[in-house]
Amino acid sequence: MLLLALSMTPHAASASSVDLRRTACTVTLPDATTNAAVATARYRCGTGAPTSSKTWLWLRLDTSRLRDLPPQWHLLVDQTRFDRIAVLVAGRDGMIRHADAYSHLDDHAAPGGLLKFTVAPPGRDVQGLYLGFRHIDDLTLMRKIVAISSSEMTAGDTRWLLLMGLFVGTLLSALLYNLVIHTGQRYAFQRWYLLWVTVALCYGLVWTNMATFLLPSLVGPVAVRIDFVLVGLMVAAGNMFFFAVVEEGRLPGGLAMAGRVLAAAGAALGLMAAADMWLPATVTDRLLNYAIAGTAIVVAASCCIAVRRGSRVIWFYMIGWGPVICVFLARLARNLGLAPQNDGVDMMTFAALAFEALVLSLAIADRFRLIRQELERARQRREIDLAEAKTLRLAAHTDFLTGLGNRAAFQERGHTLIAAGTPFSLFLIDVDYLKDVNDRLGHAAGDVLLRYVASALSAATGCLPDTDIARIGGDEFAILCQGALLAEVALADAISSLQGDAWCETEQQRTLSLSVGSARYPDDAQALDLLYQNADLALYTAKRLGRARYSRYDLLQRSLRDLEVEFIGDAEAALKREEFELYMQPIVSLATETACGYEALLRWNHPRHGLLTPDRFADVLVAERIGLLVQEHVFELALAQLREHGARLGVLSVNFTSAQLSGPQAAKSVLNRLAYHGIAPSRLCVEVTEGVMLDRAADSILANLRMLHDAGVCIALDDFGTGYASLVHLRKLPIDRIKIDCSFVAGIGQSDGGTLPIVRAILGLGRGLGKVVVAEGIETEAQAVQLRHLGCQLGQGFLYGRPVPLLPADASQTETGTPQLARLHHAQALALVH
């Protein structure tokens, strides 16, 4: 970044040298051209002259300016990239040709990045001078062709040797100083500086041909290509050093990111510029210069911002950078022809680099001084923090609401017991219906409930030694109970005794309900995380069995959970393999016993587990993202069936979940899909459970149901009587049908009256509200007769047909005939199910 000037192709100049570059004329010639052909070729001068060639590009140099040169003078040529180079001297004694491949230029290296060819005849005897390059990248990248006497050459070499001695010594000193300073830990800015100094040192040695003292082959095109790589690395390392050394918070993040991107671009373009065998040299050289210019702009802007924000290090950086900028401008003026060729510009480049290395070393030293101050302040803060930690530790391990331990305390205690090999039981206790309390009575009442549970659990465990209790989640408590299995049994009994306890909020009594699961270390798990998972599986089992109960972990629960995980993993592939199918169950008019519609029921034709009903997998998938995809797939299958067999199906009932009905566009999406398939909304019945209507997104769901209802879609409340829907909900909800849960229908004929009063009440409620009532789970004629007498309009169940795939058209005609034929048809279909 600080080396903007160094991206130019290496070149040098001397005040007393004879410049032959500006007056040179060029011509392109094929390979194996004779010396005479070179001398007699038609050269072109000026802007129309060729500058590159895939074969030989020859330059005719002006010999009229060589008359004062003594014998054994030197032709100095800028190092550039080519396959071969040739110098043809036409004298009084004939033509002399010096020809070399770039891999045999060991004896032609000269200080200052030049190739040196010695010409024996004095200048006045030279009648023609020609310089040829085979496959040169581009002549515009060459800045210098100079004729110089031996004495002047020696003086110039001496100046370069002295300068590079100071340069190498300065950079080595800076490198060694930064290698030993603060050796305990190398910060990013120090590492970038060490890289920058190392690359700058290598660049100086290669560019000036000083490296040929150790490696004679590093001359000519090889040196130029290495120079481009080193320039790119210097730009990258210098840029990264700048953004690392400036104090934190002094520069905008976007500007620093732009600088890092330009640094990476500089390194990449340096490699690309060196790959002239495959990439155009002029283009890559220009892109590298653009990257360097962009870096200069970003760094200049960053310096201005850092100065305004009070950076101290930036002043060292700007002092070191100033001379480099001046050298860059001088080289630019020379390259554009605004200033004469001069060795001083190139020498100032390396002097500026040495000065910059020293100043940046001072910047690093100052940065370390600031770091030591920050470390001292950090040490003082640590002492204060240690003093405060003793006070804060208790708070960090205590639940603010209940005063019990929190999750951190639970995990620390659990890991301690496992590390000591102490057997213990882990109980997870979940407070049932806390969300309902929060929704109905407010979060303050929920807090009262949680504090009551904490107090009750503390009292229950008070008689048991070596127990630790913690609140680890919103409604979840954990107890670590040390000792034998007898202690676990005693604790389970103590917690079970709390079930049904009354707690009060605003003079309203409510009963306590706790779901409890437990697992034991080391019998059930060897690690705390796995033990927690197993206890959580037991807790899940307790909830699934109806809550307000205790369940202990066993391997079957893990197997069931693994099966659920397998279902989740298989579901996406099952969608692609079209394993999900729709089975149809008729909904009949109890008065006429003819089908007036069907309910679409999902089945999973699993390749390993066979035909699965939703009770085996639906609850698992609904909680996952794939669940919504399956539900949408079911709806799409139902629409396809309606489109193809609409006349046979009548009204098709499809179960919907809250995920399908929540969101502002859910109803519109359903209606749009009906319109896309050309299906009238009245042919669809959306079945939802009470839980869906009372979901936390109930407002959005009800709004979508009303929109569907207004569009003509039938809305059915499924499994009525098993949830929490009240009469107020039935009056306000956009419901067309009420479906009596099959559990009530099953008990309708019991000798003690069973569920008959409940069914009679639901039917009376439906008539009063103007709703159609559908009885589910009708399996016997007695149930059908009793429901018909009670005034139930519709029914479904095994009596009228088991769920089966959609049958061919000729078979379906049987369904709409007599009940006896329909039952015979479904008896045949039963074989398909089993």
Side-chain angles (χ1 to χ4, degrees), residues 269 620 731 747:
L269 288 170
V620 181
R731 185 172 59 87

Side-chain angles (χ1 to χ4, degrees), residues 264-587:
L269 288 170
L271 292 170
M272 293 171 62
D276 60 287
M277 298 81 70
W278 304 287
L279 300 174
T282 306
V283 174
T284 54
D285 181 79
R286 184 176 294 111
L287 289 176
L288 179 58
N289 279 274
Y290 289 159
I292 295 172
T295 300
I297 294 172
V298 171
V299 170
S302 301
C303 288
C304 295
I305 295 174
V307 169
R308 293 178 59 185
R309 294 187 176 182
S311 172
R312 174 185 173 88
V313 174
I314 197 64
W315 292 105
F316 289 97
Y317 194 86
M318 292 173 66
I319 293 172
W321 197 35
V324 177
I325 291 297
C326 295
V327 171
F328 171 75
L329 295 175
R331 295 186 71 149
L332 184 62
R334 184 189 65 182
N335 294 341
L336 296 176
L338 303 177
Q341 299 288 337
N342 194 305
D343 274 347
V345 175
D346 296 310
M347 291 183 172
M348 284 190 297
T349 297
F350 295 98
L353 283 176
F355 177 76
E356 183 180 16
L358 288 177
V359 173
L360 294 186
S361 292
L362 295 176
I364 289 177
D366 185 73
R367 189 74 173 86
F368 276 125
R369 182 184 64 81
L370 295 177
I371 289 174
R372 283 193 293 271
Q373 293 177 356
E374 292 172 359
L375 291 175
E376 177 61 23
R377 287 193 294 268
R379 185 189 63 79
Q380 295 174 359
R381 286 196 299 269
R382 280 197 303 272
E383 292 179 354
I384 297 173
D385 292 342
L386 288 175
E388 295 176 347
K390 295 179 181 179
T391 305
L392 296 176
R393 181 174 177 78
L394 180 61
H397 287 73
T398 303
D399 177 54
F400 72 95
L401 180 63
T402 63
L404 301 174
N406 58 13
R407 180 176 287 272
F410 157 73
Q411 290 181 333
E412 182 177 317
R413 183 59 176 160
H415 286 302
T416 301
L417 292 176
I418 289 177
T422 304
F424 67 92
S425 297
L426 168 61
F427 282 74
L428 294 182
I429 302 102
D430 195 82
V431 182
D432 297 329
Y433 312 119
L434 176 62
K435 179 184 180 301
D436 183 54
V437 173
N438 286 330
D439 292 342
R440 295 175 182 270
L441 303 179
H443 285 79
D447 292 344
V448 171
L449 173 58
L450 290 173
R451 283 193 290 267
Y452 178 83
V453 172
S455 176
L457 291 176
S458 298
T461 58
C463 59
L464 297 173
D466 300 324
T467 57
D468 299 274
I469 181 171
R471 178 183 172 223
I472 60 175
D475 60 353
E476 191 172 12
F477 293 81
I479 300 177
L480 299 173
C481 177
Q482 302 177 46
L485 287 174
L486 290 177
E488 177 182 319
V489 174
L491 180 56
D493 292 340
I495 297 175
S496 297
S497 66
L498 300 177
Q499 302 285 5
D501 279 3
W503 65 279
C504 298
E505 169 60 18
T506 63
E507 300 182 354
Q508 292 185 0
Q509 281 196 348
R510 286 178 166 267
T511 57
L512 184 63
S513 176
L514 302 175
S515 297
V516 186
S518 72
R520 183 167 180 79
Y521 169 83
D523 302 342
D524 298 325
Q526 302 290 324
L528 184 61
D529 289 343
L530 183 57
L531 186 68
Y532 180 90
Q533 293 177 20
N534 292 341
D536 192 56
L537 285 176
L539 174 62
Y540 173 76
T541 301
K543 283 182 169 292
R544 186 168 52 83
L545 294 176
R547 306 188 184 187
R549 66 189 65 224
Y550 164 69
S551 173
R552 196 188 184 288
Y553 169 76
D554 59 42
L555 292 176
L556 179 59
Q557 295 171 357
R558 171 60 64 182
S559 300
L560 291 175
R561 181 56 182 168
D562 292 341
L563 184 60
E564 292 176 349
V565 173
E566 178 187 347
F567 283 158
I568 294 172
D570 288 348
E572 189 166 357
L575 282 173
K576 297 178 181 178
R577 294 193 296 263
E578 298 183 351
E579 294 174 3
F580 291 103
E581 302 174 2
L582 282 188
Y583 276 47
M584 300 296 176
Q585 185 175 34
I587 300 175

Side-chain angles (χ1 to χ4, degrees), residues 653-690:
S653 298
V654 181
N655 292 281
F656 273 62
T657 64
S658 57
Q660 289 175 282
L661 293 171
S662 59
Q665 302 297 322
K668 291 182 180 179
S669 176
V670 172
L671 295 175
N672 289 338
R673 290 163 73 178
L674 285 170
Y676 175 78
H677 288 278
I679 300 169
S682 60
R683 305 299 299 279
L684 175 66
C685 178
V686 172
E687 291 195 8
V688 294
T689 62
E690 299 171 17

